[in-house]
Amino acid sequence: MQLFRTLAACSLVVSALAQQSLVQLIQGNPNLTEFESLLKAFPNLYSNLSSASDITVFAPSNAAFAKLNYTVLAPAFDSYNIDFQRELIRYHVAVGVHPSGSFSNGSFSFLHTLLTNQSTTNVTGGQVISVVEQAGNNFVAVSGLGVRAAITDLDVTFNNGVLHIIDTFLIPPPDLTTSSPSFNLTSAPAAFIAAPSILNDYVNVAEDLTIFAPNNAALQSIASSFSSMTVQDFTALVEYHIVPSNTTVYYSANLPNGAVSQNGSIYNTTTLTTLQGGNLTITFIANSLFVNQARIIQEDLLLSNGVLHIIDSVLDPNVTGVAANPENPAPVQVVPGSSLPGNMLPFTTDLPTSTSILFSLVTPTPTMTANGSEATGGGSAATSTGSGPLSTSKGWGERVEVGTGGTGIVLGALIWVLGFI
């Protein structure tokens, strides 16, 4: 009888917790006091989230706020960029209820978020975050620039969804040009800039793109070939690495993952049509993904308008019969050519070098009213009492000044791409 009473009491507690609202959950969690302060600065958004159905909140912990000043997001908070902060909150809310049991061990799940503003993202259904369960029952959420956030508290339920607490802010993915330095990718995005200008604009803004970008070594190994290409041939080569769509981004979860046994190996293929018009053959074999002959060496790098997969060799629309060979660890080169003297990287002189425009966008005019509520209309400048969006005035550490490179460039470009200035 006593056991029955204990079980009944536990059931009532669980039921009561599940019935609490999002507001009650956050108010009652001592690890979310800073997140609560941020949400209160946007009362309309907070109210909408509290009444929304079937959502999953990835809530930055107090520890995440404590290290905010040492991330690329710092100037957006220091300068009270409330438009950016509002969209940042939306990026931390996924559509649908996603408890930890829905995440696969070793395979990424891609969750669409409430970040849908087309000045911010151009992904059908909203920008995504990716979540995976790793060894030791550890869960990680991955966002733009490859930023990884550990999920420290799982499955905190409320009446219209579930909340997971994360130890690091998620970063809305910027475009290809801005993201590439974080992935040690310089030649491939510069190749898009070297191509006709319409192509460079296209890869950064077109909807639902999947880009297969050769790494620096792949382009370096055939660098001598580019000087002999016509503009038409070069453009076709670049376009052959881009898969357009109006509905689907080909994250790894949408690519073959093994279903057919051939000669004792799991084997599966599919084809994707490129911007150039030719087809790519995507092959899953020996636990690896290939695009034609090229091995995908880094998957699922999120972009503002799709996804980037890095490959180990250059694709050629005129050479499509070379099959994937998982037994050969070396890159398979199908474009004839050789390295330049001194192993120079091709196209890097075409990278943008001026940062003056980017840095002018890092410190916008504050648009916060004196009581910390959201400004209306044009958002005239006003002071804040500290109850609005967060800044270093709360004592979270020394302000990190934007320098002349590295994080400052990425942040400036990030805010420029998001279009909130």
Side-chain angles (χ1 to χ4, degrees), residues 232-400:
Q232 292 78 12
D233 288 342
F234 177 70
T235 301
L237 183 77
V238 173
E239 290 181 344
Y240 191 58
H241 291 75
I242 303 168
V243 177
S245 173
N246 292 323
T247 57
T248 303
V249 177
Y250 290 97
Y251 307 106
S252 60
N254 296 330
L255 297 176
N257 57 10
V260 181
S261 178
Q262 177 174 305
N263 298 327
S265 299
I266 298 298
Y267 180 90
N268 200 358
T269 65
T270 193
T271 58
L272 301 177
T273 302
T274 68
L275 183 64
Q276 179 265 346
N279 289 332
L280 299 174
T281 299
I282 313 297
T283 305
F284 179 90
I285 186 170
N287 206 35
S288 295
L289 274 169
F290 290 81
V291 186
N292 291 1
Q293 87 293 339
R295 187 189 299 265
I296 299 179
I297 56 178
Q298 197 168 0
E299 304 170 0
D300 299 323
L301 305 175
L302 304 180
L303 302 175
S304 60
N305 60 332
V307 70
L308 169 69
H309 304 294
I310 299 179
I311 55 179
D312 69 354
S313 60
V314 178
L315 307 173
D316 188 339
N318 300 310
V319 182
T320 58
V322 181
N325 182 5
E327 296 182 1
N328 181 8
V332 178
Q333 183 174 305
V334 296
V335 178
S338 58
S339 299
L340 295 173
N343 286 326
M344 293 176 57
L345 286 174
F347 309 117
T348 50
T349 57
D350 292 296
L351 283 169
T353 56
S354 173
T355 60
S356 58
I357 296 177
L358 303 184
F359 287 119
S360 70
L361 298 173
V362 173
T363 54
T365 301
T367 54
M368 181 60 56
T369 61
N371 63 2
S373 62
E374 296 172 64
T376 58
S380 58
T383 58
S384 172
T385 61
S387 60
L390 306 165
S391 76
T392 52
S393 63
K394 297 193 71 173
W396 290 331
E398 295 296 326
R399 174 171 177 152
V400 179

Side-chain angles (χ1 to χ4, degrees), residues 128-191:
V128 306
I129 59 175
S130 59
V131 183
V132 66
E133 180 186 0
Q134 298 182 324
N137 198 36
N138 295 311
F139 292 80
V140 175
V142 184
S143 60
L145 304 178
V147 170
R148 300 166 65 86
I151 302 178
T152 57
D153 293 90
L154 293 160
D155 301 327
V156 187
T157 58
F158 55 100
N159 58 4
N160 57 338
V162 65
L163 179 146
H164 306 297
I165 300 178
I166 54 178
D167 71 347
T168 302
F169 268 84
L170 304 174
I171 308 292
D175 63 23
L176 174 69
T177 304
T178 306
S179 299
S180 294
S182 295
F183 307 135
N184 193 30
L185 199 66
T186 52
S187 280

Side-chain angles (χ1 to χ4, degrees), residues 76 79 81 83-84 360-365 412 415-416 418-421:
S79 59
N81 189 336
D83 291 325
F84 181 90
S360 70
L361 298 173
V362 173
T363 54
T365 301
I415 296 179
W416 179 43
L418 293 178
F420 297 139
I421 308 303

Side-chain angles (χ1 to χ4, degrees), residues 19-26 39 42-57 93-94 97 114 158-162:
Q19 293 304 312
Q20 68 182 331
S21 69
L22 177 63
V23 173
Q24 291 170 328
L25 186 163
I26 293 174
L39 288 171
F42 301 93
N44 292 336
L45 176 58
Y46 197 10
S47 175
N48 290 338
L49 292 178
S50 300
S51 60
S53 298
D54 299 332
I55 59 174
T56 300
V57 179
V93 183
V97 178
L114 299 185
F158 55 100
N159 58 4
N160 57 338
V162 65

